[in-house]
Amino acid sequence: MKMRKWTGTALTMVMLTSALVACTSKNAEPASTNAPGSTTNAVGAKKLDPVTLKIMVPGDRPKDFDAVIQEAEKRMANSLNVKLDVVFVPWADLAQKTQVTLSSGENIDLIFDAPWLHLTQQIAAGSYEPLDDLLKQYGPNILKNRPQQMWDANKFDGKIMGIPNGNSFVQGRVYYLRKDLREQLGIAPIKTYEDLIKFAYAVKEKVPNITPLVPAGQDVNKGLSEGAFRHYWADNKANIQPSPALSESLTLYIKNNDGKVYNLFDEMDPMVWSWIQNARKLYQDKIISPDVLAIKDIMEPAKQGKAAIIASNDFGVKDDIQKELKSGNPKAEFEAVTFMNLNKGAVLTNSLQYNFISVPVVSKHKDRAIQFLDWANQKDNYDLLVYGIKDKNWEAVGDDQYTFKGDGYKWFPYVWIWNPTTDRQDASQDEETKKLNKWTADASNFTIDKLSGFTFNNAPVSNEISQYTSIEAKYYSALFNGVVDPESYWAKFKAEASPLAKKIQLEEQKQIDAFLAKK
């Protein structure tokens, strides 16, 4: 999807001028052209000393990734002269692996992080390098590819601690559902959540070899658990959503755009409790997979044709998911449905992005890491890293769309270089999905959250957050997926976690009050 470009001749000239000065003083070349593999500037390029950058990102390594990296290194050979050592970490292991990597001081040059992972905790721990000066010196393309509103909303204590990877002001939320099964069962297109659940029960009754609903059961994806996922839908008229301190947990939440932090342990919100109770019923009725907490990647049963409904981020159905499903059953097909409120101004946005790439303070190649990312933010190089080898892994459709070819590569720019300026839309998506993507990219469609620009400094309660999240991992996904008895397990959760949550809440409210007082 495409966001309005934020750029200006004066600002662009300032960035380019500072970049040229930096090259003279530091013998380093910022990427400031759009030629593949080029980091030349107006006075000519100079080949730099060889460097290997170690990069840690989530997910599975695509089959053709090594060929893509080989091509990228070839393009950079006579300028940046960078080799890339990219480490992929399975999603289920992401939180622990990245935590251990950062705390041990292992030499990493770029690492994925997110507000829903441990970005604020790692910032508070001093794990990441502030990037403001490095970006001014080496990152003109990175800066201009993201609108100013995105930069302003994604600073931490006034500093850029990670490069925001995204291209919208609100992330789409959908259920993938098996269109072929819906039509086979004679069910009309799904318009409401109630329709969705009726479809799930019909699948259970008439297609017994398919699991009706597979929500996310891993703690790292708890926002996709069945009960929690409901807060994105239009019936959540109070705009209940996780507070900034625990950005994927509804235990501490905000609502009504009133600047207050609420605590479920103090008083259970009736709507949230109804979501938990509904999840329990679905689990007991064998609508939700009995293995929900053991499934590490919910896309796997989806691709294998074993799930009728799964929760997913972003509008539309990913092309690679659709193709893998059809490879096992050519008649099978997913369609995406959303129950978000699409009325103008109904949805709040704080413009906070969900994914970041940061430079650890232990990196010995901070300048080269930013130079590489700036190179990757040029159109042709972005195309290479995001879509693979042109005409082998993908084909261009005009200037702003693409189609994948085969299964050698997959879409994952959000882990390191995603931006609204060089990104392409998936040409295989239907017109409704393209329309929805454009909707998310237009800030005028949303009400600005009064906490936009606020970032929680967790240093005063970092120990409490660490203890709380460890306790929450035992209860949250189980409760919001209906696996356990709500009454007894909520009581246990509250007994263990409530004192910690209260300390976090009080500190967060204190910081929010100070932030709002300055506006």
Side-chain angles (χ1 to χ4, degrees):
M1 67 194 80
K2 292 284 179 185
M3 234 183 243
R4 293 189 186 123
K5 287 186 180 180
W6 171 79
T7 184
T9 302
L11 178 61
T12 303
M13 291 304 298
V14 168
M15 291 191 292
L16 291 174
T17 302
S18 65
L20 293 173
V21 172
C23 291
T24 304
S25 62
K26 289 187 176 287
N27 192 33
E29 303 289 340
S32 55
T33 77
N34 285 326
S38 170
T39 56
T40 59
N41 57 32
V43 297
K46 181 176 179 180
K47 183 175 180 178
L48 303 180
D49 292 334
V51 160
T52 297
L53 298 178
K54 189 170 184 180
I55 306 171
M56 184 171 286
V57 298
D60 299 319
R61 194 179 192 90
K63 288 191 292 186
D64 289 345
F65 187 73
D66 290 348
V68 170
I69 293 303
Q70 185 178 10
E71 173 62 20
E73 291 174 350
K74 179 181 176 182
R75 293 185 185 185
M76 293 185 286
N78 293 318
S79 49
L80 284 186
N81 202 13
V82 164
K83 299 289 186 183
L84 301 174
D85 177 13
V86 183
V87 178
F88 285 84
V89 180
W91 285 102
D93 304 327
L94 183 63
Q96 182 178 9
K97 175 63 176 176
T98 51
Q99 174 75 37
V100 170
T101 297
L102 291 166
S103 61
S104 69
E106 180 182 338
N107 189 28
I108 294 285
D109 298 297
L110 290 166
I111 191 167
F112 172 88
D113 209 336
W116 49 264
L117 191 59
H118 44 48
L119 181 63
T120 55
Q121 293 93 319
Q122 293 301 334
I123 291 172
S127 299
Y128 296 141
E129 181 76 12
L131 300 179
D132 302 73
D133 292 340
L134 285 166
L135 287 169
K136 288 177 184 177
Q137 195 164 358
Y138 302 115
N141 291 297
I142 299 171
L143 288 170
K144 74 181 179 65
N145 282 354
R146 292 156 178 83
Q148 188 61 34
Q149 183 173 341
M150 187 181 289
W151 288 113
D152 292 342
N154 289 278
K155 293 183 178 181
F156 298 83
D157 198 22
K159 299 177 182 178
I160 300 173
M161 302 303 295
I163 297 168
N165 290 324
N167 66 352
S168 66
F169 291 99
V170 166
Q171 188 169 22
R173 312 288 177 172
V174 299
Y175 289 107
Y176 287 9
L177 65 91
R178 286 281 297 275
K179 179 181 179 181
D180 58 306
L181 295 182
R182 177 180 64 75
E183 293 177 342
Q184 175 187 321
L185 295 170
I187 295 174
I190 304 300
K191 299 295 185 183
T192 66
Y193 180 79
E194 290 70 27
D195 291 344
L196 184 85
I197 298 306
K198 288 178 182 177
F199 168 64
Y201 276 93
V203 170
K204 179 199 168 189
E205 179 183 353
K206 297 180 180 178
V207 195
N209 59 324
I210 302 287
T211 302
L213 173 60
V214 182
Q218 297 294 309
D219 185 65
V220 71
N221 292 318
K222 58 179 169 280
L224 294 172
S225 58
E226 171 54 21
F229 201 57
R230 299 274 307 275
H231 88 269
Y232 294 113
W233 305 144
D235 60 349
N236 176 17
K237 298 186 185 304
N239 272 308
I240 295 169
Q241 56 187 294
S243 76
L246 303 172
S247 62
E248 285 296 304
S249 171
L250 289 168
T251 306
L252 298 182
Y253 66 99
I254 54 179
K255 64 179 180 179
N256 294 323
N257 203 18
D258 63 6
K260 301 297 182 184
V261 180
Y262 298 86
N263 188 331
L264 289 179
F265 292 137
D266 288 345
E267 182 179 357
M268 174 56 72
D269 182 271
M271 176 161 278
V272 176
W273 189 245
S274 74
W275 297 337
I276 293 173
Q277 289 180 314
N278 180 67
R280 179 59 173 167
K281 182 179 188 305
L282 295 177
Y283 184 83
Q284 289 181 315
D285 288 351
K286 295 182 171 51
I287 298 299
I288 291 177
S289 169
D291 301 319
V292 60
L293 299 184
I295 298 171
K296 291 190 174 183
D297 182 355
I298 61 174
M299 286 300 173
E300 286 307 309
K303 291 183 289 188
Q304 294 165 8
K306 297 179 180 179
I309 305 167
I310 61 167
S312 183
N313 296 323
D314 299 321
F315 290 124
V317 178
K318 295 288 186 297
D319 186 54
D320 60 326
I321 303 297
Q322 194 78 280
K323 285 179 177 176
E324 288 201 47
L325 173 67
K326 286 182 172 293
S327 69
N329 178 2
K331 295 182 179 179
E333 182 180 355
F334 276 124
E335 61 184 351
V337 298
T338 186
F339 308 127
M340 293 178 71
N341 192 333
L342 303 179
N343 292 324
K344 197 174 187 69
V347 175
L348 294 177
T349 180
N350 59 11
S351 302
L352 184 67
Q353 297 302 301
Y354 294 90
N355 310 288
F356 290 76
I357 189 87
S358 293
V359 178
V361 292
V362 298
S363 169
K364 298 176 183 177
H365 311 296
K366 299 180 180 69
D367 54 347
R368 302 289 283 278
I370 295 301
Q371 283 178 288
F372 160 68
L373 290 179
D374 196 70
W375 175 91
N377 269 257
Q378 298 168 35
K379 180 67 172 176
D380 289 326
N381 302 327
Y382 182 92
D383 281 346
L384 172 67
L385 295 177
V386 172
Y387 311 112
I389 306 295
K390 191 174 183 180
D391 297 326
K392 176 187 177 183
N393 300 123
W394 70 287
E395 292 180 345
V397 179
D399 294 329
D400 61 355
Q401 296 186 66
Y402 74 96
T403 56
F404 273 126
K405 300 177 68 175
D407 61 356
Y409 211 70
K410 62 182 181 181
W411 187 92
F412 60 102
Y414 55 89
V415 306
W416 57 350
I417 58 174
W418 201 17
N419 71 80
T421 301
T422 56
D423 197 45
R424 295 173 180 267
Q425 283 220 51
D426 183 351
S428 69
Q429 293 177 333
D430 57 41
E431 291 305 312
E432 179 63 19
T433 297
K434 293 175 183 177
K435 179 180 176 182
L436 289 169
N437 285 338
K438 290 180 180 179
W439 175 75
T440 68
D442 185 351
S444 69
N445 287 323
F446 312 108
T447 296
I448 301 299
D449 192 325
K450 66 168 53 180
L451 298 185
S452 181
F454 171 77
T455 52
F456 179 63
N457 176 8
N458 70 2
V461 287
S462 59
N463 289 333
E464 286 82 358
I465 289 176
S466 178
Q467 294 174 58
Y468 172 82
T469 53
S470 294
I471 295 169
E472 184 183 70
K474 297 189 298 182
Y475 296 101
Y476 194 93
S477 290
L479 280 161
F480 279 84
N481 282 311
V483 178
V484 294
D485 173 66
E487 296 282 354
S488 60
Y489 268 77
W490 185 261
K492 291 178 182 179
F493 183 22
K494 181 176 180 178
E496 288 189 54
S498 180
L500 295 166
K502 176 56 67 175
K503 290 181 180 179
I504 299 166
Q505 178 193 12
L506 293 174
E507 177 60 32
E508 184 176 26
Q509 189 66 66
K510 174 183 173 183
Q511 292 184 29
I512 287 174
D513 290 344
F515 169 79
L516 293 176
K518 294 178 183 177
K519 293 188 75 172

